[in-house]
Amino acid sequence: MKFNENADLDPSRSSSGGGGGGRIVVGGAGGLVLILVALFFGIDPANLLGGQTVDTTGGSGQNTLQNCTTVKEIKTEPECRFVAYQNSLDRYWGSVVPKFTPAERFVMFSGQTQTGCGAATAAVGPFYCPSDRMIYLDESFFSTLQQQFGATSTPAVEAYVMGHEYGHHVQNEIGVLAKVTKSGAGADSASVRSELQADCFAGVWFANATKDPKSPIAEVSEQDIREARNAAQAIGDDRIQQETSGRVDRESWTHGSSAQREKWLLQGYRTGDPNGCDTWSARTL
């Protein structure tokens, strides 16, 4: 993945601390073990409708991402890549979703932090909280992803994670995310359909990220897509269950199989159209 070094960055909705298809008209119905069974790249279900005071600096009061004002700073401050991803996602989804409001904030934290969905720790993994409309990511996540699941930690994988979580925000904006609160687990559940749509939305963004001349993303290569596909495969419910318990239980799935996650990521990337991401009415996932 290459970045546009002439682009400015807006870090105003990013914080960190030590402690092209057409307009969207999606139709249809509208420790680490905790990650594996419920939250990997997902929505925090602890309190989807609740709310509480949020510590947006991750507890320490430091906020290094606020220094990320140009793409050139990525060379000395690699975490500035996340501001680039967020800015690009804001611009793309704002161009295709009517009356779109960007995610309130992206929060990179270390150890633990408070969110509108309750307390979050490194054991939760990356997630989107609908209550405060924020995306949360523990700083150690990508090393965990690489060490325990064999997914190479690269900018493309980072972008996939961000694109997926931002996809949940898009779902919140278009009114389909609330359906997950009424769903249990299972291969055909609303939870799985939501997660696969978020994968598809990530693929759509990959396809369109470089079309905006002001985008901080200059190139998404086929190698980047392969790396994102490998990450999607690494965190399928079936693969995680097989590796952790030695058996696959479709009735407990919350995110979809490895094949499904890769399929819907590619569906988004190959069509470049969010209207092709209607997992809610798809007869076959």
Side-chain angles (χ1 to χ4, degrees):
M1 179 168 282
K2 295 182 180 179
F3 298 92
N4 178 6
E5 293 192 359
N6 295 318
D8 292 328
L9 296 178
D10 175 8
S12 61
R13 289 191 309 281
S14 302
S15 58
S16 63
R23 297 177 72 82
I24 189 167
V25 289
V26 174
L32 188 60
V33 173
L34 180 59
I35 305 178
L36 308 185
V37 297
L39 296 174
F40 215 103
F41 290 12
I43 310 159
D44 189 336
N47 186 3
L48 287 175
L49 301 179
Q52 63 185 59
T53 301
V54 178
D55 175 3
T56 60
T57 64
S60 71
Q62 299 175 355
N63 193 352
T64 57
L65 294 184
Q66 288 298 302
N67 299 323
C68 303
T69 57
T70 68
V71 167
K72 292 180 181 179
E73 291 172 82
I74 291 175
K75 292 182 178 180
T76 56
E77 297 291 342
E79 285 186 352
C80 290
R81 290 194 299 257
F82 290 92
V83 179
Y85 306 143
Q86 182 187 32
N87 285 183
S88 177
L89 285 158
D90 285 347
R91 293 183 66 86
Y92 172 67
W93 288 111
S95 73
V96 296
V97 178
K99 299 180 180 179
F100 182 76
T101 302
E104 188 68 24
R105 186 173 291 275
F106 163 66
V107 179
M108 182 174 284
F109 67 94
S110 177
Q112 63 181 7
T113 191
Q114 291 295 320
T115 83
C117 295
T121 70
V124 174
F127 68 93
Y128 171 71
C129 174
S131 297
D132 57 26
R133 299 163 55 86
M134 295 187 187
I135 295 167
Y136 294 89
L137 172 65
D138 179 78
E139 294 174 358
S140 66
F141 171 73
F142 290 101
S143 61
T144 300
L145 183 64
Q146 183 172 12
Q147 293 167 9
Q148 299 198 23
F149 299 99
T152 304
S153 181
T154 66
V157 174
E158 295 170 352
Y160 164 52
V161 173
M162 283 290 290
H164 176 100
E165 297 309 333
Y166 209 97
H168 287 310
H169 176 67
V170 175
Q171 291 175 325
N172 202 23
E173 286 286 288
I174 64 177
V176 301
L177 192 58
K179 300 181 185 298
V180 180
T181 64
K182 303 176 182 179
S183 169
D188 195 44
S189 65
S191 175
V192 167
R193 290 177 182 274
S194 171
E195 298 299 335
L196 295 179
Q197 185 178 53
D199 281 336
C200 188
F201 282 167
V204 169
W205 169 59
F206 274 135
N208 290 282
T210 63
K211 294 180 179 179
D212 181 346
K214 294 185 178 180
S215 172
I217 309 298
E219 180 184 24
V220 178
S221 69
E222 288 302 315
Q223 176 62 29
D224 293 325
I225 299 304
R226 283 193 291 271
E227 291 169 357
R229 289 171 62 182
N230 288 340
Q233 292 174 342
I235 43 75
D237 283 328
D238 55 342
R239 179 167 172 179
I240 291 173
Q241 289 177 339
Q242 188 65 49
E243 292 182 357
T244 57
S245 66
R247 59 185 295 270
V248 174
D249 177 14
R250 289 172 55 89
E251 297 306 311
S252 65
W253 286 6
T254 56
H255 285 65
S257 69
S258 294
Q260 288 172 329
R261 300 201 68 168
E262 180 189 20
K263 168 189 171 180
W264 283 99
L265 174 65
L266 284 175
Q267 166 76 3
Y269 177 66
R270 288 170 175 167
T271 66
D273 186 352
N275 296 302
C277 296
D278 184 9
T279 57
W280 300 99
S281 60
R283 303 183 82 178
T284 302
L285 294 174

